[in-house]
Amino acid sequence: MANYIMFWILAVVILGSAVLCVMTKRIMRAATFLLFVLFGVAGLYFLLDYTFLGAAQISVYAGGVTMLYVFAIQLVGKRSLQGLMERVKGSRVVYGAILSLIGLVMVCAVLLKNKFMYAACQVADVEVPMKDIGMSLVGADKYQYVLPFELISVFLLACIIGGLAIARKEEK
């Protein structure tokens, strides 16, 4: 019973922080709410007794990636951020809501077609060895994640270079 209560508390924190991260107009607050989301996900890992993944989530994502975002934000000067207030048109909101609804319907259709919820409940009772998790994270075979990790690192490097380019343009 305590696990269910803790799950719902973490779910509310994650979803609330994610919505606030997207809806806030201040970029440092968005980075702070992103940090709360990442800590909430780490809490879910700890709740599932995956202490290694929880510690990795805190150290790599909550610590490293969020600090990377904050440093990139600090590189960009206040003058370049002040002019970024965009006016939202009503038609863009409607199109965004329609696309979000289409995406939600597609995700629900895929989950129901593949009976994901039933399979997830069956897998949750089986203990997965840490060796299998490690091989899935750093393996190069099918359904393993070394390529996405490399692509994310290249993307973050491009973000840093873009932040430096914007900061350098301001000095002129």
Side-chain angles (χ1 to χ4, degrees):
M1 184 65 176
N3 284 340
Y4 289 119
I5 294 171
M6 197 63 201
F7 170 78
W8 286 109
I9 290 171
L10 287 171
V12 167
V13 167
I14 290 170
L15 290 175
S17 297
V19 168
L20 289 172
C21 179
V22 173
M23 299 300 288
T24 187
K25 293 182 181 180
R26 296 182 180 244
I27 197 161
M28 288 301 287
R29 286 186 185 169
T32 304
F33 289 130
L34 175 66
L35 181 67
F36 291 150
V37 170
L38 295 173
F39 274 126
V41 172
L44 288 178
Y45 286 139
F46 287 126
L47 190 64
L48 292 170
D49 289 330
Y50 285 128
T51 55
F52 173 74
L53 287 179
Q57 175 78 16
I58 289 174
S59 65
V60 173
Y61 290 107
V65 174
T66 305
M67 289 302 111
L68 184 68
Y69 287 151
V70 169
F71 287 143
I73 290 167
Q74 293 298 328
L75 283 175
V76 178
K78 288 183 180 180
R79 282 185 281 169
S80 60
L81 287 178
Q82 287 173 350
L84 292 180
M85 295 298 289
E86 182 179 337
R87 302 290 178 222
V88 179
K89 296 179 182 176
S91 62
R92 292 180 88 184
V93 172
V94 171
Y95 290 139
I98 290 171
L99 286 175
S100 298
L101 186 63
I102 290 171
L104 179 66
V105 168
M106 287 178 64
V107 167
C108 289
V110 168
L111 288 178
L112 292 175
K113 180 182 176 192
N114 294 324
K115 299 177 182 161
F116 178 75
M117 294 300 186
Y118 177 74
C121 291
Q122 296 298 322
V123 175
D125 294 336
V126 177
E127 184 175 345
V128 179
M130 191 56 67
K131 182 179 179 182
D132 293 345
I133 295 171
M135 288 304 295
S136 293
L137 288 176
V138 296
D141 293 334
K142 189 175 182 179
Y143 302 120
Q144 294 181 342
Y145 296 104
V146 74
L147 183 62
F149 281 153
E150 292 298 324
L151 291 176
I152 289 172
S153 67
V154 170
F155 173 72
L156 291 174
L157 179 63
C159 290
I160 292 171
I161 292 171
L164 288 172
I166 291 172
R168 180 165 288 197
K169 284 182 183 176
E170 188 177 343
E171 292 175 2
K172 291 181 181 176

